[in-house]
Amino acid sequence: MNFSTALPTFVITLREGVEAALVVGIVLALLKKAKQSRLNPWVYAGVAVGIVVSALIGILFTGVIKFLGSINPQYTSVVEPILEGVFSLLAIVMLSWMLIWMTKQARFMKAQVEGAVTQALTQNSNAGWGVFSLILVAVVREGFETVLFVAANFQQGLLPSLGALGGLAVAATMGVLLFKWGVKINIRQFFQFMGVLLILIVAGLVVSALQHFDTAMSSLALSSRASENLCFYYEHFTKVHSCILGPIVWNTTKILPDEKFPGIILKSLFGYTDKLYLVQAVGYLVFLLSIGSLYFRSIMGGKSQKQKNVPIPQK
């Protein structure tokens, strides 16, 4: 059993779960300050319902993939990798966008949550529902990204889901340490480190997504006997090539195979493959250079903004 497949979802759920835990902790602290702790059950209910909704969405997505793949057994080998590729692309877009957006919005998170809670408390009759909806949206938003990632790797079984549960448990523990026991944790450094790790994970997902589409095209070419029309061949470059991914860039099967330790860990966590093709290499580098630069700009932008707000001592 390959437990390494649980690592990526553990990392993603840990990061997203800590974000949700921060929102929950801020809301609970504000309710306590406003002497409205009677609304705490609405907060816990929002967390529980949000987790259940995220799990149901994951089950639904996985079921849709399996159902579409079984409609026509003849094309199951084509439909399943295409769907995996599509869900991988959705996960790449969502995780990248949320990473950059949350990095830019992090310094305003407390103020935004305070505003939402204050608005909810002004509506005496619906205050509970207002707090509940705030927590529900926060949890489902973070859970949806993990659901997409798990759906994109549904053939790996239940282990990615177990990794997600583990990440959620650690995130909840961190939330208790922060807000219940007052343990000091450098949240900024935590999110920066997890952000870099997440970029590397999603970059590996780019490689996997391209491999899914290549597998689908290869299967379709074989089933339709039209390989010359469906696949692009690269005999002029090298004899070892893929259907649509071009010539092979490296082959490290003898040095670091991706089915044995430690290659299997690198494969599960960062998308390492012992056979990398040209299009995959280009896609990987383009993603790192584009999304990576945007992420680091958002970090540096936050630091420079903070420096501008520091008062200059007068002589």
Side-chain angles (χ1 to χ4, degrees):
M1 188 174 289
N2 182 15
F3 288 97
S4 61
T5 57
L7 291 176
T9 48
F10 173 82
V11 172
I12 291 173
T13 309
L14 174 59
R15 188 188 186 283
E16 308 303 333
V18 169
E19 287 182 5
L22 289 178
V23 175
V24 172
I26 292 172
V27 171
L28 289 174
L30 291 173
L31 291 177
K32 183 178 181 180
K33 184 178 180 181
K35 297 181 179 180
Q36 295 292 330
S37 296
R38 61 183 179 82
L39 297 176
N40 285 0
W42 290 92
V43 176
Y44 302 134
V47 173
V49 174
I51 293 173
V52 171
V53 170
S54 298
L56 290 176
I57 294 174
I59 294 172
L60 176 63
F61 279 7
T62 304
V64 168
I65 293 175
K66 291 184 177 180
F67 172 74
L68 293 177
S70 62
I71 291 178
N72 193 337
Q74 180 182 356
Y75 292 103
T76 299
S77 61
V78 177
V79 174
E80 286 189 352
I82 286 179
L83 290 173
E84 285 183 276
V86 170
F87 277 104
S88 295
L89 291 179
L90 290 174
I92 290 167
V93 172
M94 282 292 297
L95 288 169
S96 302
W97 180 76
M98 285 301 298
L99 173 65
I100 296 172
W101 183 81
M102 282 303 299
T103 302
K104 292 181 178 180
Q105 297 296 319
R107 56 185 179 274
F108 307 119
M109 178 185 290
K110 186 176 180 180
Q112 291 173 345
V113 174
E114 286 179 349
V117 172
T118 302
Q119 184 178 2
L121 292 178
T122 57
Q123 303 172 355
N124 294 326
S125 58
N126 297 317
W129 286 108
V131 172
F132 172 83
S133 61
L134 172 65
I135 298 298
L136 178 63
V137 170
V139 174
V140 172
R141 183 184 64 193
E142 309 301 343
F144 184 69
E145 300 167 26
T146 307
V147 163
L148 281 177
F149 188 89
V150 174
N153 297 275
F154 78 101
Q155 285 186 336
Q156 295 178 358
L158 293 176
L159 286 177
S161 300
L162 294 178
L165 292 175
L168 187 63
V170 175
T173 302
M174 290 184 64
V176 171
L177 291 175
L178 284 169
F179 294 99
K180 192 72 174 178
W181 294 346
V183 177
K184 293 183 178 181
I185 301 175
N186 194 320
I187 293 295
R188 181 181 295 275
Q189 290 185 359
F190 170 80
F191 278 121
Q192 288 178 356
F193 172 77
M194 295 298 289
V196 174
L197 199 58
L198 187 59
I199 287 177
L200 294 175
I201 291 174
V202 178
L205 195 58
V206 172
V207 175
S208 301
L210 291 171
Q211 184 61 55
H212 291 320
F213 288 120
D214 181 72
T215 301
M217 292 299 290
S218 299
S219 300
L220 183 61
L222 291 174
S223 62
S224 64
R225 297 180 181 178
S227 58
E228 293 183 0
N229 295 326
L230 293 173
C231 292
F232 303 98
Y233 285 100
Y234 299 85
E235 285 87 353
H236 295 293
F237 299 96
T238 178
K239 292 182 179 180
V240 182
H241 53 77
S242 175
C243 182
I244 61 174
L245 300 180
I248 195 168
V249 175
W250 76 45
N251 186 345
T252 55
T253 52
K254 295 182 179 180
I255 302 174
L256 187 63
D258 57 20
E259 296 298 332
K260 296 181 180 180
F261 182 84
I264 195 170
I265 302 293
L266 297 175
K267 178 181 179 180
S268 298
L269 195 55
F270 302 120
Y272 166 77
T273 175
D274 51 24
K275 293 181 181 178
L276 185 72
Y277 295 89
L278 179 62
V279 176
Q280 289 175 308
V282 172
Y284 184 86
L285 292 175
V286 168
F287 178 86
L288 282 184
L289 292 176
S290 58
I291 302 300
S293 61
L294 287 174
Y295 174 68
F296 284 109
R297 282 182 186 178
S298 63
I299 292 177
M300 299 307 296
K303 288 183 178 180
S304 62
Q305 183 67 29
K306 194 173 182 180
Q307 290 174 354
K308 288 180 182 179
N309 294 333
V310 175
I312 302 176
Q314 300 294 328
K315 292 183 180 181

